[in-house]
Amino acid sequence: MAANRLFKAVHADDLPALRAAIAARVPLDERDAHGYTPLLVAARAGRTDLCVTLLDAGARPDAHDRKVATRRWQKLAAGTPAQPSGPGSLLHEAAAATRGGDLIRCLLARGLDIEARDPDGSTPLMIAAFHHADDPLTTLLAAGASVHTRDRAGHGALDAATTLGAIERLLAAGADPNGFAGIGAGHQGRPLLVRWSMSPGDPAVVRALLLAGADPQKAGGALAWAAHFGHQEVVRLLLHHGFAPDDSAGETPALAGAAAFAHLDIAKMLVAAGAKDVDVALFCAAGHSLLSGGPDIREHLARRLDVMRVLIAAGADPSAHQHRFIRSTALHTAARVGSAEIAGLLLAASASVHAKDDLGRTPLWVAAESGSARVAELLLRAGAVANTTDNAGVSAYEIARKTTTPAGVVDLYPTTGAQMRVMALLRDASAGPPKPAAPARPEGPAAGDRVGHAKFGEGTIHSVDGEGPTAKLTIDFDTAGQKVLQAKFVAPLPPG
């Protein structure tokens, strides 16, 4: 088709060829497969001389593409309020071009509206801010483009900006550093400080917004998200500018987010700033994330343990129940994720091995369900009741026998399997099939009785000091000599 001559000339940036095609009366407003006219193609490339030549020849200055989707948002939320909108203009195309400044000045001199709207209500300034086109952005601001206009979703040019330079120019021009309360879901629906405190967490942008007067009261959750993503400098800036250390993202405090992903320096910073909810943070450090995505406790384990030590030193209770999570404790979480290192640290801090959640499950029961054999062994050594059952009467042994070990559990045995190891531990601790109980001896042990011990073998009680299971027995063992043990650690032998 004849119009191909115009497109070829524009794509080649060949002004003589363009003039020759115009002289041959080639139609000026034909469209390519993407709905673009030659003028739109030239405008998007920022080729001022080609655009001026086409406009002088009679090309329509209000030409626009036929795309239904906007350039910035693929979709708008249902119920988006009506805002002034239109077909867009050459200014919108020039605003996205790297070298669009000269063309914008030329188009404005020809009377194009600097506040023209595209189908989504975006102005050329918003387009320039989104495409980080510095030359067009500077030109539009110098020409008086408004930084306060909103698109159909409620966002302005500052919300659309993606670079520090663009943000600083817009702030200098009077843009509200708090941004607009837009309608978009997820990232785009959050206040500016929150968005820039999340991933990728740009401290330079956060600093620019704060220095321009961004209000912490309008950006709840910014500190919590920065802590969650590990943006240490952003956390420092926000604390310095008045954010409360207990700032939360939803119901998740900043300290809990930092602890969940083992951000040690941030946890120290928040504790030093007075963050209060150390119990929840310890629960998260043990392997539970209250925010999106769960931590991999195999990564940075040493740092995670250091975070837990910081929290315990700050007063965290290792046995605290978390009511939002069926009253689980940090030790339940350690059992679920299968970390003997985490469980060992909690036990050393006097975490209760007998704590039950709302389903009646002890940490040992959870370890049995998860196939956390090393944790189960630690718990049994610490005095956990081997034949524990949940509220439904299911024992730890039964749940270990019925459950397949999750692939994500750290404590996996490559040959026999973690579940089989857990079952063996519970059987050895009398958690398997019931065994007949030994006859009760109300009178308790007495001098002369024969007793047995797992390590020292058989012996005869020489003397008894005290009563009950904690009574101290002096025993003459047949091969190990005389030892003093508590009554609960020996078993009576049958007469004869």
Side-chain angles (χ1 to χ4, degrees), residues 132-187:
H132 46 84
D134 292 340
D135 185 26
L137 183 71
T138 302
T139 302
L140 288 165
L141 288 173
S146 173
V147 295
H148 305 297
T149 307
R150 305 185 188 190
D151 65 11
R152 291 179 60 203
H155 298 107
L158 187 60
D159 299 272
T162 55
T163 65
L164 175 62
I167 288 171
E168 288 178 334
R169 288 184 181 87
L170 292 165
L171 289 172
D176 183 355
N178 297 300
F180 294 122
I183 295 173
H187 183 271

Side-chain angles (χ1 to χ4, degrees), residues 105-397:
R105 283 186 285 271
C106 175
L107 295 174
L108 291 175
R110 288 173 178 260
L112 269 69
D113 183 7
I114 196 171
E115 300 296 337
R117 305 293 192 106
D118 71 5
D120 301 313
S122 299
T123 63
L125 185 65
M126 297 178 198
I127 300 296
F130 177 75
H131 285 279
H132 46 84
D134 292 340
D135 185 26
L137 183 71
T138 302
T139 302
L140 288 165
L141 288 173
S146 173
V147 295
H148 305 297
T149 307
R150 305 185 188 190
D151 65 11
R152 291 179 60 203
H155 298 107
L158 187 60
D159 299 272
T162 55
T163 65
L164 175 62
I167 288 171
E168 288 178 334
R169 288 184 181 87
L170 292 165
L171 289 172
D176 183 355
N178 297 300
F180 294 122
I183 295 173
H187 183 271
Q188 294 297 343
R190 303 180 190 276
L192 274 175
L193 266 180
V194 177
R195 285 164 51 191
W196 286 100
S197 297
M198 298 172 71
S199 180
D202 192 325
V205 173
V206 171
R207 183 183 293 106
L209 293 170
L210 289 168
L211 291 176
D215 185 358
Q217 299 301 319
K218 296 181 180 179
L223 181 67
W225 280 111
H228 171 78
F229 283 108
H231 302 316
Q232 183 177 342
E233 187 56 32
V234 173
V235 171
R236 193 187 313 278
L237 281 167
L238 294 174
L239 287 173
H240 179 73
H241 282 81
F243 271 77
D246 288 311
D247 176 61
S248 294
E251 296 182 348
T252 304
L255 184 57
F261 290 89
H263 300 312
L264 177 60
D265 290 335
I266 293 177
K268 288 180 177 178
M269 197 184 307
L270 292 169
V271 168
K276 297 292 191 297
D277 209 342
V278 290
D279 289 348
V280 172
L282 185 65
F283 180 72
C284 292
H288 196 295
S289 173
L290 310 186
L291 289 164
S292 58
D296 185 346
I297 57 96
R298 291 168 292 190
E299 294 183 359
H300 314 300
L301 179 59
R303 196 170 68 197
R304 178 176 300 279
L305 296 173
D306 285 341
V307 170
M308 295 177 68
R309 293 184 185 99
V310 167
L311 296 170
I312 291 170
D317 179 3
S319 300
H321 293 270
Q322 298 304 316
H323 295 276
R324 283 189 291 155
F325 296 92
I326 60 172
R327 298 186 73 254
S328 292
T329 68
L331 197 54
H332 284 88
T333 295
R336 178 178 58 80
V337 300
S339 174
E341 293 80 5
I342 292 174
L345 190 151
L346 291 168
L347 289 170
S350 302
S352 172
V353 297
H354 306 300
K356 290 191 174 185
D357 62 19
D358 282 340
L359 301 179
R361 305 179 304 181
T362 64
L364 179 61
W365 197 101
V366 174
E369 181 185 41
S370 301
S372 304
R374 293 174 59 215
V375 175
E377 189 170 11
L378 283 175
L379 293 170
L380 287 167
R381 288 178 181 174
V385 178
N387 56 1
T388 180
T389 60
D390 66 1
N391 290 345
V394 178
S395 71
Y397 181 88

Side-chain angles (χ1 to χ4, degrees), residues 456-460 474-485:
F456 303 122
E458 298 182 2
T460 303
T474 302
I475 304 170
D476 294 318
F477 286 100
D478 297 346
T479 58
Q482 192 175 84
K483 307 288 180 183
V484 177
L485 301 174

